Amino acid sequence: NFQESRLYDCPEVKYNVINDVRTVALEQKSTMELGLNATELSRYLKILANSRKCALDGFALSVGEKLVVSGYRFPFSEQIPRITNSTCKTIVAIAVMFAVHEKRLKEEDLVISFFPEYDSLLTPKYVRQITIKHLLMMTSCTKCNETISVVNENWVKTFLSSECHAEPGS
């Protein structure tokens, strides 16, 4: 790392491996099969779709891994990327806390440890110090922002090669 020419300040990285990652296609089920009231669900979706106060461009409802309904307002579709602002942060934080609870990872785990392919002498010193907790608390102090997701295809590489304006957690 050349950020301050002091390699010894970087934490020791122990690489984490998650072996049971799988992609699950959502199986479509009817509301009846899932014990949902189709009439009430339909009424609620119509209220959302017609409300001027509702800024949803699309909607999907799943129960477990079963997709119940999805739809998009014109001209949107699932193929058009949308800016979600902080909505995704909340959903990801919930998923991470489930993983912490299940002891699949710890808040103190270094983020770089999950991506050893991006760890090199060029990795900024402070990026090597970012933990899961820093991400959850939005205190990573990186200069990376949401614009990166529109411009770059490899978000992980871009994030892990971005400079920090301060020490993580500060």
Side-chain angles (χ1 to χ4, degrees):
N1 180 327
F2 304 105
Q3 196 167 19
E4 290 182 10
S5 300
R6 292 174 20 189
L7 289 172
Y8 56 87
D9 285 343
C10 294
E12 179 184 345
V13 177
K14 295 177 184 163
Y15 295 105
N16 288 290
V17 178
I18 298 177
N19 296 317
D20 61 351
V21 174
R22 61 191 174 102
T23 302
V24 179
L26 293 181
E27 179 184 343
Q28 291 191 340
K29 290 285 187 177
S30 71
T31 53
M32 183 179 286
E33 290 175 287
L34 295 168
L36 298 171
N37 183 322
T39 305
E40 284 300 308
L41 181 59
S42 179
R43 186 181 67 74
Y44 179 68
L45 291 175
K46 284 179 184 173
I47 290 170
L48 281 178
N50 293 319
S51 172
R52 290 185 179 183
K53 294 180 181 178
C54 178
L56 291 178
D57 299 331
F59 179 87
L61 172 68
S62 64
V63 175
E65 295 176 357
K66 312 289 189 214
L67 180 64
V68 177
V69 64
S70 65
Y72 298 85
R73 284 186 176 165
F74 180 80
F76 304 104
S77 73
E78 64 186 34
Q79 286 80 31
I80 299 173
R82 300 295 302 144
I83 294 174
T84 58
N85 298 319
S86 292
T87 305
C88 288
K89 293 176 195 172
T90 303
I91 294 167
V92 170
I94 291 167
V96 167
M97 294 316 297
F98 271 111
V100 168
H101 178 74
E102 294 172 0
K103 301 195 182 339
R104 294 176 181 261
L105 55 86
K106 298 184 297 282
E107 290 182 38
E108 300 78 30
D109 285 340
L110 296 171
V111 172
I112 193 77
S113 73
F114 294 96
F115 306 98
E117 65 273 26
Y118 302 122
D119 188 14
S120 73
L121 287 175
L122 299 177
T123 304
K125 177 180 82 173
Y126 287 148
V127 169
R128 298 183 102 239
Q129 296 174 2
I130 298 171
T131 64
I132 299 294
K133 186 173 183 175
H134 292 133
L135 294 182
L136 290 172
M137 296 180 68
M138 292 185 258
T139 59
S140 69
C141 298
T142 62
K143 293 180 182 176
C144 196
N145 62 42
E146 289 85 358
T147 308
I148 299 300
S149 64
V150 176
V151 197
N152 294 21
E153 286 187 27
N154 190 333
W155 304 348
V156 174
K157 181 179 179 182
T158 303
F159 178 81
L160 295 174
S161 63
S162 64
E163 294 292 334
C164 293
H165 59 81
E167 185 174 358
S170 62

